[in-house]
Amino acid sequence: MSPKALNIGDPFPNFEAQTNLGKIDFYDWMADSWAILFSHPADFTPVCTTELARVAQLIPEFQKRGIKPIALSCDTAESHNAWIEDIKSYGKLASFDYPIIADDKRELAVKLNMLDKDELNAAGIPLTCRAVFVIDDKKKLRLSILYPATTGRNFDEILRVVDSLKLTQTKSVATPADWQPGGQCMVLPTVQAVDVPQLFPNGVQTIQVPSGKSYLRITAQPQN
Ligand code: BEZ
């Protein structure tokens, strides 16, 4: 039986693992930061190469948000180190500065429920899907997305979600469809009308709808 999938809000389990940068204890490696753990089916594969290069190019964006990226691929650390030369070449990178977990025995892939039953390797073994886990500084899972091996991830979207997570954890708003940082936000349904003036001094616009209910309340993005 496969392990139970993690839900949003669950504690993200700690683990020890070998990486291209040496052995890590995940929680110690995270320290007080948030983390993005993203998994890959295998080294020396085309889509994965584009993804790892893209994340390396986005390192300043991750740093701005206080988030450390860590990848996982089901091969050894020696293989990762050889592959990193290809990733650097493809991504025109001077260096590659984040860890790739060596999950060659698929222990973490199983533990974190990341196997894709529909994508098999040459030996008929399920490949690891492209999982994304965003873990906060309290080691709690805040987001998980699973993509099939054949679809590369959009890391701009993942940064956008992180911006939303960080905004909405301190302000009484939620972010609407296709929101971008700086865009208008929705007042949380749990906010009482009486509290609106104090919480949103710059004003709230209520959109009229056929139901007559006043739940579509729009406000400028609150400042941090
Ligand atoms: C890739 O990274 O290109 C890939 C890996 C496994 C299956 C399909 C694509």
Side-chain angles (χ1 to χ4, degrees), residues 83-136:
W83 183 31
I84 283 168
E85 294 309 310
D86 290 359
I87 298 166
K88 282 163 58 184
S89 165
Y90 171 79
K92 304 195 175 15
L93 302 164
S95 62
F96 185 93
D97 301 320
Y98 64 92
I100 308 176
I101 294 166
D103 194 30
D104 47 309
K105 300 198 176 61
R106 291 162 190 264
E107 286 165 357
L108 270 177
V110 171
K111 179 172 173 167
L112 298 175
N113 216 3
M114 297 192 295
L115 294 177
D116 179 348
K117 292 186 204 78
D118 285 344
E119 285 288 340
L120 308 179
N121 70 9
I125 296 171
L127 293 172
T128 308
C129 64
R130 300 183 194 282
V132 183
F133 296 114
V134 174
I135 304 132
D136 72 14

Short mmCIF file of all heavy atoms in Angstrom, two decimals, residues 83-136:
data_model
loop_
_atom_site.label_atom_id
_atom_site.label_comp_id
_atom_site.label_asym_id
_atom_site.label_seq_id
_atom_site.Cartn_x
_atom_site.Cartn_y
_atom_site.Cartn_z
N TRP A 83 25.80 15.52 -14.38
CA TRP A 83 24.66 16.15 -15.08
C TRP A 83 24.68 17.68 -14.92
O TRP A 83 24.33 18.43 -15.84
CB TRP A 83 23.37 15.56 -14.51
CG TRP A 83 22.09 15.99 -15.12
CD1 TRP A 83 21.87 16.37 -16.42
CD2 TRP A 83 20.82 16.09 -14.46
NE1 TRP A 83 20.54 16.68 -16.61
CE2 TRP A 83 19.87 16.51 -15.42
CE3 TRP A 83 20.39 15.83 -13.16
CZ2 TRP A 83 18.53 16.70 -15.11
CZ3 TRP A 83 19.05 16.00 -12.85
CH2 TRP A 83 18.13 16.43 -13.81
N ILE A 84 25.12 18.14 -13.74
CA ILE A 84 25.14 19.59 -13.47
C ILE A 84 25.98 20.34 -14.51
O ILE A 84 25.65 21.47 -14.88
CB ILE A 84 25.63 19.85 -12.01
CG1 ILE A 84 24.47 19.54 -11.05
CG2 ILE A 84 26.13 21.27 -11.82
CD1 ILE A 84 24.88 19.46 -9.58
N GLU A 85 27.01 19.69 -15.03
CA GLU A 85 27.81 20.36 -16.09
C GLU A 85 26.95 20.61 -17.32
O GLU A 85 27.06 21.65 -17.97
CB GLU A 85 29.05 19.52 -16.43
CG GLU A 85 30.05 19.42 -15.29
CD GLU A 85 30.41 20.81 -14.70
OE1 GLU A 85 30.74 21.72 -15.49
OE2 GLU A 85 30.31 20.97 -13.46
N ASP A 86 26.08 19.66 -17.66
CA ASP A 86 25.16 19.86 -18.79
C ASP A 86 24.15 20.97 -18.48
O ASP A 86 23.82 21.79 -19.34
CB ASP A 86 24.36 18.57 -19.09
CG ASP A 86 25.22 17.48 -19.68
OD1 ASP A 86 26.43 17.71 -19.89
OD2 ASP A 86 24.68 16.38 -19.92
N ILE A 87 23.65 20.97 -17.23
CA ILE A 87 22.64 21.97 -16.84
C ILE A 87 23.26 23.37 -16.92
O ILE A 87 22.65 24.32 -17.44
CB ILE A 87 22.11 21.69 -15.41
CG1 ILE A 87 21.41 20.33 -15.35
CG2 ILE A 87 21.16 22.79 -14.95
CD1 ILE A 87 21.17 19.81 -13.93
N LYS A 88 24.50 23.50 -16.44
CA LYS A 88 25.19 24.79 -16.49
C LYS A 88 25.38 25.24 -17.94
O LYS A 88 25.18 26.41 -18.29
CB LYS A 88 26.54 24.70 -15.78
CG LYS A 88 26.40 24.76 -14.26
CD LYS A 88 27.61 24.29 -13.51
CE LYS A 88 28.87 25.02 -13.81
NZ LYS A 88 30.03 24.42 -13.07
N SER A 89 25.77 24.30 -18.77
CA SER A 89 26.00 24.63 -20.18
C SER A 89 24.68 25.05 -20.83
O SER A 89 24.59 26.10 -21.49
CB SER A 89 26.60 23.40 -20.88
OG SER A 89 26.52 23.54 -22.26
N TYR A 90 23.63 24.28 -20.62
CA TYR A 90 22.32 24.58 -21.23
C TYR A 90 21.80 25.94 -20.75
O TYR A 90 21.29 26.74 -21.53
CB TYR A 90 21.31 23.47 -20.91
CG TYR A 90 19.92 23.84 -21.32
CD1 TYR A 90 19.52 23.74 -22.66
CD2 TYR A 90 19.01 24.37 -20.40
CE1 TYR A 90 18.25 24.14 -23.05
CE2 TYR A 90 17.74 24.76 -20.79
CZ TYR A 90 17.37 24.65 -22.11
OH TYR A 90 16.12 25.06 -22.50
N GLY A 91 21.91 26.19 -19.42
CA GLY A 91 21.34 27.40 -18.84
C GLY A 91 22.29 28.58 -18.83
O GLY A 91 21.95 29.64 -18.30
N LYS A 92 23.48 28.41 -19.44
CA LYS A 92 24.51 29.47 -19.46
C LYS A 92 24.74 29.99 -18.03
O LYS A 92 24.67 31.19 -17.74
CB LYS A 92 24.10 30.61 -20.39
CG LYS A 92 23.83 30.13 -21.81
CD LYS A 92 23.78 31.24 -22.80
CE LYS A 92 23.63 30.78 -24.24
NZ LYS A 92 23.22 29.42 -24.51
N LEU A 93 25.01 29.05 -17.13
CA LEU A 93 25.16 29.36 -15.72
C LEU A 93 26.63 29.32 -15.33
O LEU A 93 27.33 28.36 -15.68
CB LEU A 93 24.42 28.32 -14.87
CG LEU A 93 22.93 28.15 -15.13
CD1 LEU A 93 22.42 26.84 -14.53
CD2 LEU A 93 22.17 29.34 -14.56
N ALA A 94 27.09 30.32 -14.57
CA ALA A 94 28.47 30.32 -14.10
C ALA A 94 28.64 29.28 -12.99
O ALA A 94 29.71 28.70 -12.82
CB ALA A 94 28.83 31.70 -13.59
N SER A 95 27.59 29.06 -12.21
CA SER A 95 27.68 28.09 -11.12
C SER A 95 26.29 27.48 -10.90
O SER A 95 25.29 27.98 -11.41
CB SER A 95 28.18 28.76 -9.84
OG SER A 95 27.26 29.76 -9.45
N PHE A 96 26.28 26.42 -10.12
CA PHE A 96 25.01 25.75 -9.79
C PHE A 96 25.04 25.56 -8.28
O PHE A 96 25.81 24.74 -7.77
CB PHE A 96 24.93 24.40 -10.52
CG PHE A 96 23.60 23.72 -10.33
CD1 PHE A 96 22.57 23.91 -11.24
CD2 PHE A 96 23.37 22.91 -9.23
CE1 PHE A 96 21.33 23.29 -11.06
CE2 PHE A 96 22.15 22.29 -9.04
CZ PHE A 96 21.13 22.48 -9.96
N ASP A 97 24.22 26.33 -7.58
CA ASP A 97 24.46 26.49 -6.14
C ASP A 97 23.38 25.94 -5.23
O ASP A 97 23.27 26.38 -4.09
CB ASP A 97 24.67 27.98 -5.84
CG ASP A 97 25.85 28.54 -6.61
OD1 ASP A 97 26.87 27.83 -6.72
OD2 ASP A 97 25.74 29.66 -7.13
N TYR A 98 22.54 25.04 -5.71
CA TYR A 98 21.56 24.46 -4.79
C TYR A 98 21.63 22.94 -4.87
O TYR A 98 22.11 22.38 -5.86
CB TYR A 98 20.15 25.01 -5.06
CG TYR A 98 19.56 24.67 -6.40
CD1 TYR A 98 18.78 23.54 -6.59
CD2 TYR A 98 19.79 25.49 -7.51
CE1 TYR A 98 18.22 23.24 -7.82
CE2 TYR A 98 19.24 25.19 -8.75
CZ TYR A 98 18.46 24.06 -8.90
OH TYR A 98 17.93 23.76 -10.12
N PRO A 99 21.18 22.25 -3.82
CA PRO A 99 21.36 20.79 -3.78
C PRO A 99 20.35 20.01 -4.63
O PRO A 99 19.21 20.44 -4.79
CB PRO A 99 21.18 20.44 -2.30
CG PRO A 99 20.52 21.61 -1.66
CD PRO A 99 20.64 22.79 -2.56
N ILE A 100 20.83 18.89 -5.14
CA ILE A 100 19.94 17.90 -5.78
C ILE A 100 20.06 16.63 -4.93
O ILE A 100 21.15 16.05 -4.81
CB ILE A 100 20.34 17.58 -7.22
CG1 ILE A 100 20.51 18.84 -8.07
CG2 ILE A 100 19.30 16.64 -7.86
CD1 ILE A 100 21.02 18.57 -9.50
N ILE A 101 18.94 16.20 -4.35
CA ILE A 101 18.95 14.99 -3.53
C ILE A 101 19.17 13.78 -4.42
O ILE A 101 18.59 13.68 -5.51
CB ILE A 101 17.61 14.86 -2.78
CG1 ILE A 101 17.47 16.00 -1.76
CG2 ILE A 101 17.47 13.50 -2.11
CD1 ILE A 101 16.07 16.17 -1.20
N ALA A 102 20.02 12.86 -3.95
CA ALA A 102 20.30 11.62 -4.69
C ALA A 102 19.36 10.54 -4.15
O ALA A 102 19.63 9.92 -3.12
CB ALA A 102 21.75 11.22 -4.48
N ASP A 103 18.23 10.34 -4.84
CA ASP A 103 17.24 9.35 -4.37
C ASP A 103 17.31 8.11 -5.26
O ASP A 103 16.28 7.63 -5.74
CB ASP A 103 15.84 9.99 -4.40
CG ASP A 103 14.81 9.18 -3.63
OD1 ASP A 103 15.19 8.51 -2.64
OD2 ASP A 103 13.63 9.21 -4.01
N ASP A 104 18.53 7.59 -5.43
CA ASP A 104 18.71 6.49 -6.38
C ASP A 104 17.99 5.21 -5.92
O ASP A 104 17.67 4.35 -6.73
CB ASP A 104 20.21 6.22 -6.64
CG ASP A 104 21.03 6.17 -5.37
OD1 ASP A 104 20.92 7.10 -4.55
OD2 ASP A 104 21.76 5.18 -5.18
N LYS A 105 17.71 5.11 -4.61
CA LYS A 105 16.95 3.93 -4.13
C LYS A 105 15.45 4.23 -4.05
O LYS A 105 14.66 3.41 -3.58
CB LYS A 105 17.47 3.49 -2.76
CG LYS A 105 18.94 3.09 -2.80
CD LYS A 105 19.34 2.26 -1.61
CE LYS A 105 20.78 1.80 -1.72
NZ LYS A 105 21.74 2.95 -1.77
N ARG A 106 15.05 5.41 -4.46
CA ARG A 106 13.63 5.84 -4.49
C ARG A 106 12.97 5.83 -3.12
O ARG A 106 11.74 5.72 -3.02
CB ARG A 106 12.82 4.94 -5.43
CG ARG A 106 13.16 5.11 -6.86
CD ARG A 106 12.68 3.96 -7.68
NE ARG A 106 13.26 4.10 -9.00
CZ ARG A 106 12.63 4.66 -10.01
NH1 ARG A 106 11.42 5.08 -9.88
NH2 ARG A 106 13.24 4.79 -11.17
N GLU A 107 13.78 5.93 -2.07
CA GLU A 107 13.19 5.88 -0.72
C GLU A 107 12.30 7.10 -0.46
O GLU A 107 11.20 6.98 0.05
CB GLU A 107 14.30 5.78 0.32
CG GLU A 107 14.92 4.39 0.33
CD GLU A 107 16.26 4.32 1.07
OE1 GLU A 107 16.76 5.36 1.53
OE2 GLU A 107 16.80 3.21 1.16
N LEU A 108 12.82 8.28 -0.84
CA LEU A 108 12.01 9.49 -0.62
C LEU A 108 10.84 9.55 -1.59
O LEU A 108 9.77 10.02 -1.23
CB LEU A 108 12.88 10.73 -0.79
CG LEU A 108 13.57 11.23 0.46
CD1 LEU A 108 14.45 12.42 0.15
CD2 LEU A 108 12.53 11.63 1.51
N ALA A 109 11.07 9.09 -2.82
CA ALA A 109 9.98 9.09 -3.80
C ALA A 109 8.79 8.31 -3.26
O ALA A 109 7.64 8.70 -3.42
CB ALA A 109 10.45 8.51 -5.12
N VAL A 110 9.08 7.18 -2.58
CA VAL A 110 8.00 6.37 -1.99
C VAL A 110 7.44 7.07 -0.76
O VAL A 110 6.23 7.24 -0.61
CB VAL A 110 8.53 4.95 -1.65
CG1 VAL A 110 7.49 4.16 -0.86
CG2 VAL A 110 8.90 4.21 -2.93
N LYS A 111 8.36 7.52 0.13
CA LYS A 111 7.92 8.14 1.39
C LYS A 111 7.01 9.35 1.14
O LYS A 111 6.04 9.58 1.86
CB LYS A 111 9.16 8.56 2.18
CG LYS A 111 8.90 9.22 3.50
CD LYS A 111 10.20 9.42 4.27
CE LYS A 111 9.96 10.24 5.52
NZ LYS A 111 11.04 10.23 6.46
N LEU A 112 7.36 10.12 0.11
CA LEU A 112 6.59 11.35 -0.14
C LEU A 112 5.54 11.15 -1.23
O LEU A 112 4.97 12.12 -1.74
CB LEU A 112 7.55 12.49 -0.52
CG LEU A 112 8.56 12.87 0.57
CD1 LEU A 112 9.54 13.92 0.05
CD2 LEU A 112 7.85 13.40 1.82
N ASN A 113 5.30 9.88 -1.60
CA ASN A 113 4.20 9.54 -2.52
C ASN A 113 4.35 10.24 -3.87
O ASN A 113 3.43 10.86 -4.37
CB ASN A 113 2.88 9.97 -1.87
CG ASN A 113 1.76 9.01 -2.19
OD1 ASN A 113 1.99 8.00 -2.85
ND2 ASN A 113 0.58 9.32 -1.74
N MET A 114 5.54 10.11 -4.48
CA MET A 114 5.82 10.87 -5.68
C MET A 114 5.94 10.00 -6.94
O MET A 114 6.46 10.49 -7.95
CB MET A 114 7.13 11.66 -5.51
CG MET A 114 7.07 12.68 -4.40
SD MET A 114 8.44 13.83 -4.42
CE MET A 114 9.79 12.75 -4.08
N LEU A 115 5.52 8.74 -6.87
CA LEU A 115 5.69 7.90 -8.06
C LEU A 115 4.52 8.06 -9.02
O LEU A 115 3.37 8.20 -8.61
CB LEU A 115 5.88 6.43 -7.66
CG LEU A 115 7.17 6.16 -6.89
CD1 LEU A 115 7.25 4.69 -6.47
CD2 LEU A 115 8.41 6.54 -7.70
N ASP A 116 4.83 8.08 -10.32
CA ASP A 116 3.82 8.25 -11.37
C ASP A 116 3.58 6.88 -12.01
O ASP A 116 4.41 6.39 -12.78
CB ASP A 116 4.36 9.25 -12.40
CG ASP A 116 3.40 9.49 -13.56
OD1 ASP A 116 2.43 8.72 -13.70
OD2 ASP A 116 3.64 10.43 -14.32
N LYS A 117 2.44 6.28 -11.70
CA LYS A 117 2.16 4.90 -12.17
C LYS A 117 2.09 4.81 -13.69
O LYS A 117 2.25 3.74 -14.26
CB LYS A 117 0.82 4.42 -11.60
CG LYS A 117 0.81 4.21 -10.11
CD LYS A 117 -0.54 3.60 -9.71
CE LYS A 117 -0.89 3.89 -8.27
NZ LYS A 117 -1.40 5.23 -8.02
N ASP A 118 1.82 5.95 -14.34
CA ASP A 118 1.64 5.92 -15.80
C ASP A 118 2.93 6.09 -16.58
O ASP A 118 2.94 5.97 -17.79
CB ASP A 118 0.66 7.03 -16.23
CG ASP A 118 -0.77 6.66 -15.87
OD1 ASP A 118 -1.01 5.46 -15.60
OD2 ASP A 118 -1.62 7.56 -15.85
N GLU A 119 4.02 6.47 -15.90
CA GLU A 119 5.30 6.68 -16.61
C GLU A 119 6.31 5.67 -16.08
O GLU A 119 6.73 5.75 -14.93
CB GLU A 119 5.82 8.11 -16.37
CG GLU A 119 5.09 9.18 -17.13
CD GLU A 119 5.37 9.19 -18.63
OE1 GLU A 119 6.40 8.62 -19.07
OE2 GLU A 119 4.53 9.72 -19.37
N LEU A 120 6.68 4.71 -16.92
CA LEU A 120 7.59 3.66 -16.50
C LEU A 120 8.94 3.83 -17.18
O LEU A 120 9.02 4.30 -18.32
CB LEU A 120 7.00 2.29 -16.88
CG LEU A 120 5.56 2.01 -16.42
CD1 LEU A 120 5.10 0.64 -16.89
CD2 LEU A 120 5.44 2.13 -14.90
N ASN A 121 10.00 3.45 -16.46
CA ASN A 121 11.32 3.48 -17.12
C ASN A 121 11.50 2.20 -17.94
O ASN A 121 10.60 1.36 -18.01
CB ASN A 121 12.44 3.71 -16.09
CG ASN A 121 12.65 2.52 -15.18
OD1 ASN A 121 12.09 1.44 -15.40
ND2 ASN A 121 13.46 2.71 -14.15
N ALA A 122 12.70 2.05 -18.54
CA ALA A 122 12.93 0.92 -19.44
C ALA A 122 12.75 -0.42 -18.72
O ALA A 122 12.39 -1.43 -19.34
CB ALA A 122 14.33 1.03 -20.04
N ALA A 123 12.96 -0.42 -17.39
CA ALA A 123 12.81 -1.67 -16.62
C ALA A 123 11.37 -1.85 -16.11
O ALA A 123 11.10 -2.79 -15.35
CB ALA A 123 13.78 -1.64 -15.44
N GLY A 124 10.46 -0.94 -16.51
CA GLY A 124 9.05 -1.06 -16.10
C GLY A 124 8.77 -0.53 -14.71
O GLY A 124 7.71 -0.78 -14.14
N ILE A 125 9.73 0.22 -14.13
CA ILE A 125 9.54 0.78 -12.78
C ILE A 125 8.93 2.19 -12.90
O ILE A 125 9.38 2.97 -13.75
CB ILE A 125 10.91 0.83 -12.04
CG1 ILE A 125 11.42 -0.59 -11.86
CG2 ILE A 125 10.80 1.55 -10.70
CD1 ILE A 125 12.84 -0.68 -11.36
N PRO A 126 7.92 2.51 -12.08
CA PRO A 126 7.33 3.85 -12.18
C PRO A 126 8.36 4.95 -11.95
O PRO A 126 9.19 4.86 -11.03
CB PRO A 126 6.28 3.87 -11.07
CG PRO A 126 6.01 2.46 -10.74
CD PRO A 126 7.27 1.69 -11.05
N LEU A 127 8.30 5.99 -12.78
CA LEU A 127 9.19 7.14 -12.60
C LEU A 127 8.64 8.05 -11.51
O LEU A 127 7.44 8.02 -11.20
CB LEU A 127 9.25 7.94 -13.91
CG LEU A 127 9.93 7.27 -15.10
CD1 LEU A 127 9.73 8.12 -16.35
CD2 LEU A 127 11.42 7.08 -14.81
N THR A 128 9.50 8.90 -10.99
CA THR A 128 9.05 9.93 -10.05
C THR A 128 8.36 11.02 -10.85
O THR A 128 8.86 11.45 -11.89
CB THR A 128 10.27 10.55 -9.34
OG1 THR A 128 11.04 9.49 -8.81
CG2 THR A 128 9.86 11.49 -8.24
N CYS A 129 7.21 11.48 -10.39
CA CYS A 129 6.53 12.58 -11.08
C CYS A 129 7.25 13.89 -10.74
O CYS A 129 8.20 13.91 -9.96
CB CYS A 129 5.07 12.63 -10.66
SG CYS A 129 4.86 13.01 -8.93
N ARG A 130 6.76 14.96 -11.32
CA ARG A 130 7.32 16.28 -10.99
C ARG A 130 6.48 16.87 -9.86
O ARG A 130 5.48 17.54 -10.10
CB ARG A 130 7.28 17.20 -12.21
CG ARG A 130 8.08 16.67 -13.36
CD ARG A 130 8.12 17.58 -14.55
NE ARG A 130 8.63 16.83 -15.68
CZ ARG A 130 9.91 16.53 -15.90
NH1 ARG A 130 10.82 16.97 -15.04
NH2 ARG A 130 10.27 15.82 -16.93
N ALA A 131 6.87 16.56 -8.64
CA ALA A 131 6.16 17.09 -7.47
C ALA A 131 6.78 18.42 -7.07
O ALA A 131 7.98 18.63 -7.25
CB ALA A 131 6.25 16.11 -6.31
N VAL A 132 5.96 19.32 -6.56
CA VAL A 132 6.45 20.57 -5.96
C VAL A 132 5.87 20.64 -4.56
O VAL A 132 4.65 20.55 -4.39
CB VAL A 132 5.96 21.83 -6.71
CG1 VAL A 132 6.56 23.08 -6.10
CG2 VAL A 132 6.27 21.75 -8.19
N PHE A 133 6.73 20.79 -3.57
CA PHE A 133 6.29 20.99 -2.19
C PHE A 133 6.84 22.34 -1.72
O PHE A 133 8.06 22.55 -1.80
CB PHE A 133 6.83 19.90 -1.26
CG PHE A 133 6.32 18.51 -1.59
CD1 PHE A 133 7.18 17.53 -2.04
CD2 PHE A 133 4.97 18.20 -1.42
CE1 PHE A 133 6.72 16.24 -2.32
CE2 PHE A 133 4.50 16.92 -1.71
CZ PHE A 133 5.37 15.94 -2.16
N VAL A 134 5.97 23.19 -1.24
CA VAL A 134 6.42 24.43 -0.59
C VAL A 134 6.24 24.23 0.91
O VAL A 134 5.13 23.90 1.37
CB VAL A 134 5.64 25.66 -1.08
CG1 VAL A 134 6.03 26.91 -0.27
CG2 VAL A 134 5.89 25.90 -2.57
N ILE A 135 7.33 24.39 1.65
CA ILE A 135 7.33 24.10 3.09
C ILE A 135 7.71 25.40 3.81
O ILE A 135 8.69 26.05 3.41
CB ILE A 135 8.36 22.98 3.39
CG1 ILE A 135 8.02 21.74 2.54
CG2 ILE A 135 8.40 22.63 4.87
CD1 ILE A 135 9.20 21.17 1.81
N ASP A 136 6.95 25.75 4.82
CA ASP A 136 7.24 27.04 5.48
C ASP A 136 8.27 26.89 6.59
O ASP A 136 8.78 25.80 6.86
CB ASP A 136 5.94 27.73 5.93
CG ASP A 136 5.28 27.07 7.14
OD1 ASP A 136 5.91 26.24 7.82
OD2 ASP A 136 4.11 27.40 7.42
#
